[in-house]
Amino acid sequence: MARKTSTFWYYISKAIFRVAGWKLNGVVPPNIKKSMMIAAPHTSNWDFIMARAAFFLMDVDVKLTIKKEWTTIPVLGGLVRSLGGLAVDRSKNNSLVDGMVQLFNERDELVILITPEGTRAYQPRWRKGFYFAAVGAEVPILLGFLDYKKKEAGVGPAIYPTGDYEADLEKIKAFYRTKSGRFPEKGVR
């Protein structure tokens, strides 16, 4: 089976993990072809680099929704797309949730990566769009994580949304309370 990750990004990611002393712990179950992937706790700008490297090493072609304009800029657009940028045309659809559901419906395989905290500061209230996009597309929510204390990155359990946002969110946050962000005081409580 061919790799989804380019050889270039795979070896860059391998070097990042080796130099930083990190390891992988947990991967995306092979039977899950579509999912909403949470990246948490999000406490530092380094999170993007470490998470992106982890997904390249796991050969998971995660996508990040981004304004269409960012993917069409000469040179920069190619870099954004190679790092997983997935263009969303907000001029045609005011609802990002509906846009993500449509993206899932158009593809046989898709993993959309989001940071529901929406900021690197402590955020007690997460954005709900990831949850309702998963419900609308009927896909599981995977729990991607970075644990700076253990220097581990990986994927925890799959959460299949029940429609009870508060109950499902409590399960999700309980998992993330066991993970330590780069700045633990900004992590999930």
Side-chain angles (χ1 to χ4, degrees), residues 2 38 46 51 56 163 186:
I38 294 175
W46 283 101
F56 280 137
K186 297 179 183 181

Side-chain angles (χ1 to χ4, degrees), residues 13 22 25 31 36 42-43 64 71 93-94 99-100 103 106 126 135 137 144 147 153-154 157 162 169 171-172 176 178:
S13 299
W22 279 58
N25 182 359
N31 61 320
M36 184 64 65
H42 181 38
T43 66
L64 307 109
T71 64
N93 187 341
N94 288 332
M100 285 192 284
L103 291 170
E106 293 170 353
W126 283 11
V135 168
D147 190 328
T162 64
L169 185 63
K171 288 180 203 169
I172 292 167
Y176 285 116
T178 68

Side-chain angles (χ1 to χ4, degrees), residues 3 7 9 17 30 32 47 53 59 73 83 91 95-96 114 124 135-136 142 159 162-163:
R3 291 189 60 81
T7 303
W9 286 121
F17 263 55
I32 296 180
D47 296 346
D59 201 29
I73 299 169
L83 291 172
S91 67
S95 168
L96 186 55
I114 55 93
V135 168
L142 294 177
I159 303 290
T162 64

Side-chain angles (χ1 to χ4, degrees):
M1 178 183 281
R3 291 189 60 81
K4 297 173 190 169
T5 300
S6 77
T7 303
F8 173 78
W9 286 121
Y10 175 81
Y11 284 108
I12 293 289
S13 299
K14 197 171 178 117
I16 289 169
F17 263 55
R18 187 178 316 118
V19 168
W22 279 58
K23 62 186 177 215
L24 293 176
N25 182 359
V27 297
V28 174
N31 61 320
I32 296 180
K33 302 297 182 202
K34 296 182 188 183
S35 65
M36 184 64 65
M37 176 77 71
I38 294 175
H42 181 38
T43 66
S44 165
N45 286 330
W46 283 101
D47 296 346
F48 176 77
I49 294 166
M50 298 309 293
R52 195 63 204 109
F55 289 120
F56 280 137
L57 291 173
M58 287 186 271
D59 201 29
V60 176
D61 187 21
V62 297
K63 300 295 182 184
L64 307 109
T65 56
I66 191 164
K67 289 180 184 178
K68 179 180 81 170
E69 294 76 17
W70 279 97
T71 64
T72 58
I73 299 169
V75 181
L76 181 61
L79 176 63
V80 168
R81 287 189 306 276
S82 76
L83 291 172
L86 182 62
V88 175
D89 187 353
R90 295 293 301 272
S91 67
K92 293 182 180 178
N93 187 341
N94 288 332
S95 168
L96 186 55
V97 170
D98 291 343
M100 285 192 284
V101 170
Q102 182 179 345
L103 291 170
F104 278 116
N105 291 338
E106 293 170 353
R107 291 165 172 75
D108 293 329
E109 292 187 24
L110 180 61
V111 178
I112 296 179
L113 179 68
I114 55 93
T115 56
E117 294 152 306
T119 177
R120 291 173 306 279
Y122 170 67
Q123 180 54 262
R125 293 170 123 350
W126 283 11
R127 296 178 180 189
K128 296 179 181 182
F130 78 93
Y131 184 85
F132 292 106
V135 168
E138 299 179 356
V139 299
I141 299 167
L142 294 177
L143 308 183
F145 68 89
L146 296 172
D147 190 328
Y148 282 82
K149 185 176 182 180
K150 295 179 181 176
K151 290 190 172 188
E152 290 180 343
V155 179
I159 303 290
Y160 291 85
T162 64
D164 183 343
Y165 173 77
E166 294 300 329
D168 291 343
L169 185 63
E170 182 49 40
K171 288 180 203 169
I172 292 167
K173 284 188 170 185
F175 172 79
Y176 285 116
R177 286 184 194 110
T178 68
K179 307 302 175 202
S180 183
R182 180 175 170 107
F183 300 105
E185 68 280 4
K186 297 179 183 181
V188 179
R189 297 181 197 158

